[in-house]
Amino acid sequence: PKSVSYICFIGAGYVGGSTAAVLANQCPHIQVTVVDKNAERTKAWQSENLPVAETGLLDIVKVPRDGLRPSQRKNLHFTTEVEESIQQAEIIIVSVNTPTKAVGTGSGYLLDSSVLEDVVMCIARSARSNKIVVEKSTVPVGTGETVRDILRNNAHTGVKFEVLSNPEFLAEGTAVQNLLQPDRVLIGCLETKSGFLAAETFASVYATWIPRERIITMNLFSSELSKLAANALLAQRISSINALSIICEATGADIQQVAKAVGSDSRIGPHMLRASFGFGGSCFKKDIRSLVYLCKCLHLDDVAAYWEAILNINEKQKSRSVARIVSRFNNNMNGKKIAILGFAFKENTGDTRESCAIDLVKGFLHEGASVSIYDPLVQESQIREDLGIDCAADGGLDNRLTICQSGEEACTGAHGVLVATNWDTFRSLDWDHVARVMTYPRIVFGSSACLDPNVLESMGFTVEIIGKKVW
Ligand code: NAD
Ligand code: UDX
């Protein structure tokens, strides 16, 4: 395959920005440009305050961006100049957002690939030489065909395109590690001579730092579907363990012990079996819904229902968690205060997209409780936006909502505390102090991944653990 000297990413988000940074860091011989239409975001990538809070990312970004290696020129650039970047690049990686469609046919289920299609149109119109166009965004299965159509019908005379699929599997909080040492890289291509050659050219870039056997080439549509399938299977494990946690709470079995028992079977494995308030994050729900939509379009209603059940269990886990605490207060939360520790969708991130904490807080507010929230990374304005609470307009509710600067502050005067995100900092909270500042009945509710019930009970707390019966 041809050696590559210039790659352009379009979309400097979580995926585009982080992937470009690792690629530029590992491939000093390749010029990498990341284009975003959002000038503020582009500026943030050029600064010390990256738009993405990932451990180790700033160090990775700085080396190629600021030319920190003695012999190295700068090879990572963030810009809003889309046309010029497209023209220079041999490979264009599209990593724009593909949210669930909000209105019209398929709304609530179908991934909205209109932004991606606009970008592809822009590539077709700007390119003056042959390009490899890579779908990195998660897309509905079959999008590769649409992308090919747009490119073919809008290309300048003589300009040819190859379309590849290269879905991203990084998880937030561990993005750098996942990008440096991925379990696998998928490259989907058309099964033609030029398709295979394009895949090989792109694979040679990844092969700079990833063992060859981890770079898997397959057909375009297998690759598109594999992304949805991977997220559906990961989320399915969490819903399976959470569904079992309901049985545990009713029978006296302990979900942590059950997870250990089943996860010790090498065919099952231990990962993604931690019982929780449910899964959150920007990907699982939207990608499963996309899969459900695909099944419905194919008139596979029973298959659609099978995948959708993963989401139903996830919703149930949140509502029944609120109900469990409310029942502890004789179903009356008026005058009671609940502290919520952690508002992001998981630890080590400030991302709140689809966070379970949003529904938990709304549930307690709806029941009449006061709620105080602390998260180490999420800003007050973000929390209010996610809850849809406008301080000025919603006086009544706002009186019952406080955003705090520490876990201890949030717990002061609270009757119950719910650890919604398993941050280490909550594990090592000064729980003795918290016991003193809280109000009877001092209920602590969370996952055994973060809380030790024996220790907490000895301090005077009433402890409720997900997937464990209270005797
Ligand atoms: P994001 O919202 O963080 O970033 C998308 C970026 O694209 C934004 O900065 C936006 O300004 C930019 N953009 C939108 N339209 C543009 C245009 N016309 N020209 C240039 N830039 C434009 O999204 P993300 O989380 O990085 O996700 C991107 C894709 O990757 C999605 O399809 C998502 O499903 C998938 N994905 C995300 C994750 C994750 O953990 N976040 C993991 C795997 C896959
Ligand atoms: C996920 C996939 O893991 C990743 O491969 C894909 O590219 C994007 O979607 P992400 O959403 O960033 O990544 O985080 P992940 O670690 O998978 O956690 C998702 C949610 O599941 C979080 O709310 C987390 O707290 C929850 N979770 C995870 C559990 O409830 N139990 C577990 O055992 C693991």
Side-chain angles (χ1 to χ4, degrees), residues 22 35 140 153 191 211 213 227 231 245 258 375 419 443 468:
V22 168
V35 185
N153 288 311
E191 290 168 309
E213 63 277 11
K227 174 63 201 176
N231 274 353
S245 78
V258 175
D375 187 286
V419 182
I443 294 174
K468 208 169 167 175

Side-chain angles (χ1 to χ4, degrees), residues 10-16 35-38 41 95-98 115 119 137-138 168 170 172 227 282-283 286 353:
I10 304 183
Y14 223 102
V15 167
V35 185
D36 203 290
K37 64 168 187 185
N38 181 337
R41 200 163 242 209
S95 48
V96 294
N97 38 315
T98 50
V115 170
V119 166
S137 302
T138 305
E168 183 50 60
L170 67 80
E172 293 187 21
K227 174 63 201 176
S282 64
C283 291
K286 110 179 146 58
R353 290 180 285 181

Side-chain angles (χ1 to χ4, degrees), residues 362-417:
K362 281 183 177 168
F364 288 119
L365 288 174
H366 177 74
E367 290 284 345
S370 296
V371 177
S372 51
I373 303 171
Y374 168 66
D375 187 286
L377 284 182
V378 184
Q379 304 292 321
E380 171 156 2
S381 54
Q382 182 67 51
I383 295 178
R384 289 187 184 278
E385 189 186 321
D386 289 333
L387 294 171
I389 294 173
D390 176 343
C391 316
D394 228 332
L397 254 192
D398 193 47
N399 285 340
R400 292 195 278 118
L401 179 71
T402 328
I403 317 298
C404 301
Q405 299 307 312
S406 72
E408 284 85 352
E409 184 194 340
C411 291
T412 302
H415 301 80
V417 49

